[in-house]
Amino acid sequence: MFKSLNSLNLDNIKIKNSLIFLLIVFSLFLAFGYYPPIMALWEEAHVYKNFIPTENPLLLLTIPEDPNTGGTFNTFGYASLTISRYISNYIGHSLSNIRLPSVIYGLISLFLFYSIVNRWFDWKVALISSFLLATNHYFLMYQHVLTVQMVTLTTILFCVERFQNLLIKNNKFAILSFGFACALSALHYWTGRFCMLSILFFYLINFEKF
């Protein structure tokens, strides 16, 4: 009886690992697969700002004063997107290399999304949800354009994941990592800032007293 239970557990683990591996391969295929070589309007603004100067722009983590997503009129721009210039200068200038930061942010978002849903529910729900997110049209679109939307989503999910971790562990490292995640969200588009403030609201108020 115990042998059959152990074999059943091993089979479940094998199925789980196989499906997770399939999700990883599928996500990588969509991330680095073919995408139409067409530049979006706001993406053109980022490329113009970061690639026109003869010298590499400074990678400064500052809160942008420009209210739109292009960041064209920011003093320093978005450092998370400016790094595309450094990557392209090192591995070559092409449209896929220019968009590489957004592709990586998209993969990180999928990992964070899986971790969040897995903690709330289980690995099966997390796996199905991650598959749905990976194939979502808007997610794929923003993953393949150099705009601030994808890195904003990544920082929001990072805030949620660190908030979950803080509720579970509640130690110094958890507090510091949560603060770091909130600081990263403040550096990007205003949607991320509002979400970060909402998460802080849930952290600061003890709803059990009400």
Side-chain angles (χ1 to χ4, degrees):
M1 178 180 178
F2 289 108
K3 289 182 178 180
S4 61
L5 289 175
N6 290 332
S7 61
L8 184 61
N9 290 332
L10 288 175
D11 290 339
N12 289 336
I13 293 174
K14 289 180 180 179
I15 293 173
K16 175 183 176 181
N17 293 336
S18 300
L19 290 175
I20 292 175
F21 178 76
L22 180 63
L23 173 63
I24 294 173
V25 173
F26 184 70
S27 301
L28 290 173
F29 174 76
L30 291 178
F32 295 100
Y34 173 78
Y35 199 79
I38 301 173
M39 296 193 96
L41 177 63
W42 296 116
E43 185 181 22
E44 292 176 352
H46 281 295
V47 174
Y48 178 84
K49 181 177 181 61
N50 295 327
F51 285 83
I52 285 297
T54 55
E55 299 291 335
N56 288 341
L58 297 176
L59 288 175
L60 296 178
L61 296 174
T62 59
I63 297 177
E65 63 270 25
D66 190 358
N68 62 51
T69 61
T72 313
F73 305 104
N74 293 340
T75 305
F76 299 105
Y78 295 104
S80 55
L81 301 180
T82 305
I83 197 171
S84 173
R85 168 73 179 266
Y86 290 79
I87 295 174
S88 298
N89 287 347
Y90 184 75
I91 64 177
H93 291 81
S94 67
L95 195 57
S96 58
N97 292 339
I98 290 174
R99 291 170 170 170
L100 188 58
S102 288
V103 172
I104 295 174
Y105 297 142
L107 293 174
I108 296 174
S109 296
L110 286 172
F111 171 75
L112 292 171
F113 184 75
Y114 177 88
S115 301
I116 293 168
V117 179
N118 186 38
R119 283 176 180 163
W120 270 333
F121 302 99
D122 58 19
W123 70 270
K124 297 176 184 178
V125 178
L127 191 73
I128 295 172
S129 302
S130 299
F131 265 114
L132 292 175
L133 178 62
T135 56
N136 182 271
H137 173 70
Y138 288 102
F139 180 84
L140 287 172
M141 180 182 67
Y142 285 120
Q143 189 182 17
H144 291 89
V145 293
L146 189 68
T147 56
V148 74
Q149 278 82 358
M150 184 51 65
V151 67
T152 301
L153 174 64
T154 305
T155 55
I156 292 172
L157 292 175
F158 188 37
C159 275
V160 176
E161 191 276 331
R162 288 293 87 192
F163 179 58
Q164 283 184 328
N165 180 71
L166 179 60
L167 295 178
I168 296 171
K169 297 182 179 180
N170 197 19
N171 53 30
K172 290 184 179 179
F173 178 77
I175 295 173
L176 289 175
S177 60
F178 177 59
F180 177 71
C182 292
L184 283 181
S185 294
L187 296 175
H188 294 96
Y189 194 46
W190 57 267
T191 307
R193 299 172 201 166
F194 287 158
C195 291
M196 178 267 293
L197 291 174
S198 300
I199 295 170
L200 280 176
F201 174 78
F202 283 105
Y203 171 67
L204 294 174
I205 294 181
N206 186 5
F207 290 95
E208 294 180 356
K209 294 182 179 180
F210 296 97

